[in-house]
């Protein structure tokens, strides 16, 4: 546990440093490029990624590395422990001036996250967790909500999921879309949201830190079949997901599974 505490302290320090670097570009018209399938990346993403890589790999040179903004290499597959990071989760929101973006940093061991730091610089919020050690927000212990019924539940997610949930008694005024997936799920961990969802296609770097946060806060983060997340596969990508308080997990999974099936049947271009 002493080693785990030291790893967490390292993650926190690295996340704070990267967050402050990114904050220096926030609302200051950073340079933006397009990568892959029309995905934006800014000079802030790259600067924060450079700082994270330098700090973390210098301190733990035997750990592997997986980041949204670094070229993926197969050597990570042979590492028992690796850092999984997203220097800015919610880049589109960052570009638009939305404060709901974060630096997400996790230590994964044998396919599971064991230490995590998620820093939201524009809101001055630091989430942290260790496996078996609980989850905290700005040093205070956090727990998911104790809601047991979908009626009036607070939800965050993409449009098609929000529409589906609204048809099951959720108050539409409580619907929320948060551009950062990691922060969206962190809202479940701290009890501000009861159910949060993600479309298929999220990557390890979107999820590793917040998966541990949700679990340590007493919640669940599962796919639509109820399976837990595993990290550091050859293709580090995941299906549709739901984070929730345990009392809502089964009902939410059924609703979102139906919504995803309808979306698939409707064909390309549907929202």
């Amino acid at each position: 546990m002493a080693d785990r505490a030291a790893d967490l302290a390292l993650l926190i320090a690295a996340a704070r440093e990267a967050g402050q670097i990114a904050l220096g570009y926030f609302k200051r018209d950073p340079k933006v490029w397009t990568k892959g399938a029309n995905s934006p990346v800014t000079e802030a993403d790259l600067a924060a990624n450079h700082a994270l890589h330098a700090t973390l790999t210098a301190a733990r040179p035997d750990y592997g590395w997986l980041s949204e903004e670094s070229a993926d290499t197969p050597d990570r597959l042979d590492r028992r422990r690796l850092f999984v990071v997203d220097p800015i989760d919610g880049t589109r929101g960052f570009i638009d001036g939305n404060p709901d973006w974060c630096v997400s940093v996790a230590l994964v061991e044998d396919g599971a996250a064991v230490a995590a730091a998620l820093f939201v610089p524009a809101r001055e919020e630091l989430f942290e967790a260790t496996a078996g050690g609980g989850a905290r927000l700005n040093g205070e212990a956090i727990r998911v909500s104790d809601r047991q019924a979908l009626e009036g539940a607070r939800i965050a997610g993409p449009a098609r999921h929000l529409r589906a949930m609204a048809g099951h008694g959720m108050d539409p005024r409580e619907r929320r879309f948060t551009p950062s997936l990691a922060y969206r799920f962190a809202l479940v961990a701290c009890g501000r949201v009861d159910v949060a969802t993600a479309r298929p296609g999220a990557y390890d770097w979107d999820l590793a830190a917040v998966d541990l946060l949700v679990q340590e806060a007493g919640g669940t983060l599962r796919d639509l079949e109820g399976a837990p997340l595993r990290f550091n596969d050859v293709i580090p990508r995941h299906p549709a997901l739901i984070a929730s308080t345990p009392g809502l997990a089964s009902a939410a999974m059924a609703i979102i599974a139906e919504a995803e099936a309808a979306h698939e049947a409707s064909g390309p271009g549907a929202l």
Side-chain angles (χ1 to χ4, degrees), residues 26 39-40 45 68 86 88-104 118 120 122-123 155-159 162 175-187 193 196-199 202-203 205-207 210:
F26 186 51
S39 178
D45 294 81
E68 179 175 12
D86 193 340
I88 298 180
D89 187 66
T91 298
R92 293 183 190 276
F94 178 90
I95 294 168
D96 292 341
N98 187 318
D100 291 351
W101 55 273
C102 64
V103 180
S104 177
L118 196 153
V120 192
R123 294 192 179 278
I155 186 170
L162 295 178
R175 293 185 295 175
R176 172 174 179 160
F177 178 76
T178 305
S180 163
L181 177 55
Y183 188 56
R184 188 188 312 168
F185 284 170
L187 295 174
V193 165
T197 67
R199 291 183 293 256
Y203 287 89
W205 48 75
D206 301 309
L207 300 165
V210 77

